[in-house]
C-alpha cells in the first residue's frame, strides 16, 4: 500500500494539477455551451436546456474531453521511456494500481467540474427552474435521478452531483482508452476510444436486454423523460 501511495501522489499531481485538466474542464463546458446555440429555446430554464444538451452528441463529446487529462499517460510514458524508471522505484502492480486511480479520478472530476461550469454559465442568463412552467421540474421530481437535491432546491449541487455521476462513466471509459493506448500508438484514436466504446456497450446492452436497457438509462437521465423533452422541443 505504501508503494501505491508513492506512485499515486505524483500521478494525482501530474493529472489534476496540470493545464490538461483545466483544458478538459473548459472544453467540456465549451462543447456543451456550443450545443446551446443549435436552435435551443433560451426562454426557458437551466434544467430544461441542460436536459436537451445532455441527450445526444454533446454528451458523447464530453467523454472525449474527459480523456484529455490522463487517459494517454501510459502511452506517453512508453513513448518517452519513463515506464522502466517508474517500475524501478517500486513494482509493476503498484504502478498500474496508482495509474488506474489517477486516470479514473482525473476523468471523474474533469467531467464533474465541466458540467457544473456549464450549468453555472447557463444560470447567468436563465433561472434554475422556470416558475411559470414547472412541468419538466415536476417530472424530474417524480422520476429523475438525484431528485432529492431538486426537492431541496439545491440546484447547483444537483448539477455538480450529476457531473459526478456522468463522470463515473467518463472514468470507466477513460480507463478502457488507457488500456488501448498500450496497443495503439495514435493518441487521437486513444482519445476517441471512449465514444467508440460507449456506442459498443450501448449496442450490446440493447441487444442483451431487448432494447429495455441502454447506457443513457444507467448513467444519464431517464430515457422516457429525454424523449418527452425532445418531442416537446421539436413541437
Amino acid at each position: 500500500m505504501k508503494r501505491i501511495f508513492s506512485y499515486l501522489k505524483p500521478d494525482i499531481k501530474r493529472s489534476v494539477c496540470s493545464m490538461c485538466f483545466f483544458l478538459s474542464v473548459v472544453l467540456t463546458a465549451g462543447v456543451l455551451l456550443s450545443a446551446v446555440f443549435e436552435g435551443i429555446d433560451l426562454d426557458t430554464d437551466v434544467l430544461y436546456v441542460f436536459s436537451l444538451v445532455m441527450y445526444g452528441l454533446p454528451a458523447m463529446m464530453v467523454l472525449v474531453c474527459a480523456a484529455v487529462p490522463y487517459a494517454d499517460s501510459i502511452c506517453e510514458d512508453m513513448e518517452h521511456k519513463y515506464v522502466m524508471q517508474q517500475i524501478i522505484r517500486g513494482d509493476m502492480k503498484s504502478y498500474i494500481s496508482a495509474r488506474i486511480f489517477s486516470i479514473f479520478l482525473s476523468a471523474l472530476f474533469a467531467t464533474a467540474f465541466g458540467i457544473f461550469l456549464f450549468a453555472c454559465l447557463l444560470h447567468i442568463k436563465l433561472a434554475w427552474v422556470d416558475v411559470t412552467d414547472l412541468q419538466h421540474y415536476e417530472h424530474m421530481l417524480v422520476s429523475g435521478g438525484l431528485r432529492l437535491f431538486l426537492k431541496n432546491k439545491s440546484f447547483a449541487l444537483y448539477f455538480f452531483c450529476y457531473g459526478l455521476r456522468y463522470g463515473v462513466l467518463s472514468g470507466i471509459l477513460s480507463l478502457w482508452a488507457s488500456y488501448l493506448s498500450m496497443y495503439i500508438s495514435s493518441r487521437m484514436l486513444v482519445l476517441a476510444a471512449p465514444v467508440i466504446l460507449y456506442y459498443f456497450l450501448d449496442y450490446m446492452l440493447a441487444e442483451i436486454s431487448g432494447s429495455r436497457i441502454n447506457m443513457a438509462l444507467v448513467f444519464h437521465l431517464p430515457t422516457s423523460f429525454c424523449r418527452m423533452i425532445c418531442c416537446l422541443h421539436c413541437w
Side-chain angles (χ1 to χ4, degrees), residues 66-209:
V68 170
Y70 217 44
D72 63 341
S73 59
I74 295 179
C75 179
E76 184 179 353
D77 284 356
M78 294 175 66
E79 181 180 335
H80 294 90
K81 300 180 180 179
Y82 294 151
V83 175
M84 291 306 300
Q85 298 177 27
Q86 295 277 355
I87 295 173
I88 290 173
R89 291 172 44 213
D91 58 80
M92 176 68 79
K93 184 178 178 180
S94 300
Y95 169 74
I96 295 298
S97 299
R99 190 54 58 91
I100 287 173
F101 280 115
S102 302
I103 293 171
F104 180 81
L105 291 175
S106 63
L108 172 72
F109 285 107
T111 301
F113 284 117
I115 288 177
F116 179 71
L117 176 61
F118 167 66
C120 290
L121 290 174
L122 286 181
H123 185 50
I124 295 174
K125 179 177 176 60
L126 306 175
W128 291 119
V129 175
D130 186 1
V131 295
T132 62
D133 183 11
L134 297 176
Q135 181 181 4
H136 312 305
Y137 176 63
E138 291 173 352
H139 191 283
M140 289 295 291
L141 289 177
V142 175
S143 60
L146 303 171
R147 53 184 174 269
L148 177 64
F149 299 109
L150 294 178
K151 288 180 180 178
N152 295 330
K153 300 189 183 302
S154 302
F155 299 111
L157 190 57
Y158 167 81
F159 288 108
F160 182 73
C161 289
Y162 184 102
L164 288 175
R165 185 180 66 180
Y166 200 70
V168 172
L169 175 61
S170 299
I172 293 171
L173 295 180
S174 291
L175 285 175
W176 275 102
S178 181
Y179 175 76
L180 291 176
S181 72
M182 294 188 291
Y183 304 97
I184 301 173
S185 58
S186 174
R187 289 189 179 177
M188 292 298 295
L189 189 56
V190 169
L191 294 178
V195 174
I196 298 171
L197 290 167
Y198 181 96
Y199 276 109
F200 175 75
L201 292 173
D202 194 53
Y203 174 78
M204 292 299 296
L205 281 175
E207 286 292 316
I208 294 171
S209 65

